Amino acid sequence: EVQLVESGGGLVQPGGSLRLSCAASGFTVSSNYMSWVRQAPGKGLEWVSVIYSGGSTYYADSVKGRFTISRDNSKNTLYLQMNSLRAEDTAVYYCARVEHSSGYPYYFDYWGQGTLVTVSS
Amino acid sequence: SYVLTQPPSVSVAPGKTARITCGGNNIGSKSVHWYQQKPGQAPVLVIYYDSDRPSGIPERFSGSNSGNTATLTISRVEAGDEADYYCQVWDSSSDHRGVFGTGTKVTVL
């Protein structure tokens, strides 16, 4: 059974840093495309970042240069390092597996339950 | 960047049909996927590749995509279908970015 479990959320001051983790089971993270998606309180879904199985990474403009997606193959875990956090980064952060074909990403087939990040002084 | 536009809300009586649109420039040339999200829960995939249904999703959920509009149709709506719905594509023309629609709240009257 595929499972994704996020952790690492919490309250952080503006300008601070936080690292989110997403522990996967039932499949191999390094063989898949993996993404982070966030949702601000009362708002819609916003794609944040993706890492391809080959290691290529891509980011939304809103987080480029501040967030870094990575993975630890030995732990089968996905990470999101978030630096220079702003109030507008406050959201529930979901990790999700991305179904892909012929090197192209398509849809998010499995999601974690999410972890809340609150940026406030 | 690529933009997907959805109506903020759709209201439908039980047993009737709800149609949720997702507008985007030449969206018919892309693969569109749809998610259902209930309060306090993670999104759930309900339609992928325009019109395919994952296992466990009722046949009442269907999708289509042509021109500048993709549509999610929910037939014989039930109270349990009340949720937010999001369309999604991948914009390879813009540095490999995921794009979600603005979201539609479906209310069952």
Side-chain angles (χ1 to χ4, degrees):
Chain A
E1 180 192 8
V2 171
Q3 274 199 319
L4 295 167
V5 180
E6 301 97 335
S7 61
L11 176 63
V12 61
Q13 292 188 340
S17 298
L18 211 57
R19 189 180 80 158
L20 305 183
S21 300
C22 172
S25 57
F27 72 101
T28 302
V29 165
S30 61
S31 300
N32 284 271
Y33 291 12
M34 299 293 297
S35 238
W36 289 96
V37 175
R38 69 183 182 183
Q39 186 170 37
K43 302 298 183 182
L45 300 173
E46 179 188 16
W47 175 79
V48 173
S49 181
V50 65
I51 182 167
Y52 290 178
S53 52
S56 298
T57 58
Y58 301 93
Y59 301 90
D61 285 344
S62 57
V63 307
K64 190 177 290 186
R66 299 187 299 123
F67 289 11
T68 302
I69 190 171
S70 65
R71 65 192 181 209
D72 184 328
N73 298 344
S74 67
K75 295 182 179 179
N76 208 34
T77 298
L78 178 74
Y79 299 101
L80 185 68
Q81 177 66 44
M82 304 185 295
N83 298 331
S84 303
L85 283 162
R86 307 166 180 167
E88 54 264 37
D89 295 318
T90 294
V92 173
Y93 285 74
Y94 297 99
C95 69
R97 192 177 78 170
V98 184
E99 173 63 27
H100 64 281
S101 177
S102 301
Y104 191 80
Y106 282 99
Y107 54 89
F108 307 95
D109 56 356
Y110 291 96
W111 297 67
Q113 84 288 350
T115 187
L116 176 62
V117 173
T118 303
V119 184
S120 175
S121 56
Chain B
S1 61
Y2 196 76
V3 176
L4 295 174
T5 302
Q6 300 179 232
S9 62
V10 167
S11 297
V12 59
K16 300 299 185 182
T17 298
R19 292 182 179 85
I20 305 163
T21 58
C22 175
N25 184 37
N26 197 26
I27 195 174
S29 67
K30 300 181 180 294
S31 289
V32 179
H33 321 289
W34 291 90
Y35 304 86
Q36 176 193 69
Q37 186 182 33
K38 296 182 178 180
Q41 298 183 18
V44 173
L45 181 71
V46 294
I47 291 288
Y48 63 101
Y49 292 146
D50 297 341
S51 58
D52 290 344
R53 272 179 295 102
S55 60
I57 300 301
E59 292 183 5
R60 302 182 297 101
F61 287 82
S62 62
S64 63
N65 183 21
S66 179
N68 292 317
T69 304
T71 302
L72 172 69
T73 301
I74 311 173
S75 305
R76 302 180 300 283
V77 166
E78 302 175 356
D81 299 330
E82 186 162 290
D84 294 324
Y85 292 83
Y86 297 90
C87 56
Q88 176 255 318
V89 301
W90 214 278
D91 184 21
S92 61
S93 67
S94 183
D95 202 19
H96 299 250
R97 294 172 184 174
V99 181
F100 285 97
T102 49
T104 298
K105 168 67 175 179
V106 170
T107 299
V108 181
L109 301 171

